[in-house]
Amino acid sequence: MVIAVLLVFSIFATLNPRVFLSPINLQNMGVAAPEIGILAIAMMLAMLTGGIDLSLVAIANLSAITVVMLYSAVASTDQALAESLTIPILLAGIAMGVACGVLNGVLVSGVGITPILATLGTMQILNGIAIVVTGGSTLYGAPQALTDFGRTAIGPVPLLFVVFIVIAVVVALFISKTPLGRKIQLQGANPVAARFSGISGRTVLMSTYTMGGTLAGIAGVLFLTRNPTASADYGSSYVLLVIVIAVLGGTNPNGGFASVAGVVLATMALQIVSSGFTAIRLSSYEYAIAQGVILIGVMILDYLSAQRRLRKSRGAPPRVPTPPPTPLAVTKDSEQS
Amino acid sequence: MDTLRRLRGPNNEGILALVLLSLFVTMSTLSPAFFTVGTAFSILRSATVPLIFALAVLIVIVSGGIDVSFAAVAIFSAYTAVSFAITTAPELPALVIIALALAIGAVLGLINGVVIARYRLPTLIVTLGTQGLFVGVMYTYIGATYYAQLPPSLAALSSLSVLDFRTETGRASLHVMAVVAIGLSVLVWWMLTKTMFGRSLYAIGGDAEAARRAGFRVMRTQILMYVLVGVLAAIAGIAHMVMGRSANPQDLVGNELDIIAAVVLGGASIFGGRGSVLGTVMGVLLIQVINNSLLLAGVPSAWLRAAVGFLLIVGVGVQAVTARKKARRVHTLDEPKAEHVVKGGAS
């Protein structure tokens, strides 16, 4: 994955160095990556249990809308008060995400609906509510402190990117070091075995989807640091992108295996491809094609390498696992363009 | 109690019919204008495209998959065929344009099928990928122009009605495409229940590994099925353009959930192996009638989206809860009562 990131980076750097390597572009990538990356980490958590969460983007939008509406409601009477209430307002936005996550968790673990359909349904409901609340238009206004936060940088590194890395590290530690994280992995690897070894599937799924909702809420607040507007249909193309990133980062859609580092690197790679496409003047539709090709290509290569491993282990004693085939897919795709 | 259970049908079709019927009765008493042939035909008209889509989705769900790329396939094949006709050969007969669209739909379906069946990948994620791929290819290489006028031969189809008569409240006409949709429903029903191909779809949806060991050619059936789904989607795309009298590349994609919700409401199990055309038809009608009634009742259209999502959750929730109850019953098979229940459910 590291190789893939370096590879796509150098490809675009040579194709159009003047635009691609400009400090503004590099900073933009650092600022744009966190919101998608955090959503991808949330998706990864759901996939780790063998599920999927299609409602993440809708949750993020709803929490951004909550923040903007609360802020403008207070600001219309007292601007200074609204600024001073920044932190409670942001917490309310994140709380919205938590509430949506709990709703998903109840549907998946309590009622027992398949994650695909449960989150497809909540996606539609939350999206519908967002349309009703906003009247379908874009809302303006967010705490000034938030916008300032989005512009701050420690040296050359945007503060937002630091936040992203911190969240990634926390989630990574959570998965590998805490008992609950272990249980999530086991649940995804084999739900039946997990149940017989005394793991409560309900608690695990409940906490996974709640956490997903929380992360989506945080991502929604981060939307506002870049652009103090919120609307119901922001980032509708992110649903596919977030799945692409999670799968590209080595998450097994059938559950049981995932790596936060892989997802972070995949986020960077996709962000580089996206900025690179803009730098060499390809349209967003061509980027959509690339996403589709990368997603399917990676899954096919994963399948093929798994088959090869299987065949090898049948004939000879198990060997060192083959390196992830991801770089190939990315190069093939970028060369096509 | 037993007759009640029989009325319910294998996939809850009875309950669905009851809900539909009561909805009709309440609507008719609330507004007498509702109960006319004209309304019936207009609901049928608005249900045409969703119904054809739903048949395609039903086939996929029966086989244990889930497809979200069908709308992209539909708009891709119909738009490509129509824009080809408009830009290079405006005098092409309608049949040739339709055949072209169907062929494109078949090819796109083949792509889905090969990727899914050959590499045994999760269908949702593959079709999410191909959805982006198809839409991207269409905008980039085929065009994004909105055509307000169809080629003359197709435009002639737009005003073609099978039944057309005057009633007290106005004219009532049954569009030719609605008849096509009804014909396709019968065809898919026949295919699912009477042919070996249909049987193997149910078998694969029940348990792919068991089907493989029982001698079904799983990969071939799956690929063939996705080709068929592509063709059905292309028909829906053409029907949409003919009835809307225009070719807009931005149509259709984004409303996939309504269709999936209708099929799942119609009793198809998301785990595969269960589902019927009758249930699907009623599921589609239910969503259309509810949309229609909500609008008539003055509910803002923005709520429709949330309403469909809510319906989906309720529909699947009921399914999940009953499935759980059933699973509990299987454990107590030694009780004579429980056995009786299982038999009653199967008949």
Side-chain angles (χ1 to χ4, degrees), chain A residues 78-117:
Chain A
D78 190 350
Q79 182 79 32
L81 181 70
E83 286 299 338
S84 64
L85 281 177
T86 298
I87 288 174
I89 289 177
L90 295 190
L91 286 180
I94 296 175
M96 188 53 142
V98 178
C100 296
V102 169
L103 174 67
N104 276 335
V106 167
L107 290 176
V108 172
S109 71
V111 187
I113 304 177
T114 346
I116 297 178
L117 289 177

Side-chain angles (χ1 to χ4, degrees), chain A residues 47 52 54 107-114 116-129 131-132 202 239-240 243 247 253-254 283 285-286 288-293 295-296 299-300 303-304, chain B residues 66 68 115 118-122 124-126 128-133 135-141 250 254 257-258 260 264 270-271 302-303 305-310 312-313 316-321 324:
Chain A
M47 280 186 167
I52 196 164
L54 298 173
L107 290 176
V108 172
S109 71
V111 187
I113 304 177
T114 346
I116 297 178
L117 289 177
T119 53
L120 208 60
T122 47
M123 171 178 91
Q124 202 78 344
I125 294 176
L126 300 179
N127 198 253
I129 292 174
I131 292 176
V132 173
R202 281 194 183 196
V239 182
L240 173 60
I243 295 176
V247 173
N254 297 319
S283 74
Y285 297 117
E286 280 157 307
I289 302 177
Q291 282 175 22
V293 171
L295 179 64
I296 295 169
M299 286 200 301
I300 290 180
Y303 169 85
L304 291 179
Chain B
I66 189 163
V68 291
V115 172
R118 171 70 184 81
Y119 301 104
R120 293 189 208 166
L121 299 177
L124 172 76
I125 298 178
V126 169
L128 263 174
T130 50
Q131 181 201 43
L133 192 67
V135 173
V137 167
M138 181 176 76
Y139 280 125
T140 319
Y141 302 109
Q250 288 177 337
L257 185 78
D258 290 10
I260 295 173
V264 171
I270 200 68
F271 300 111
W303 278 109
R305 206 186 174 89
V308 172
F310 184 70
L312 177 73
I313 295 282
V316 214
V318 169
Q319 227 184 58
V321 170
R324 197 172 281 185

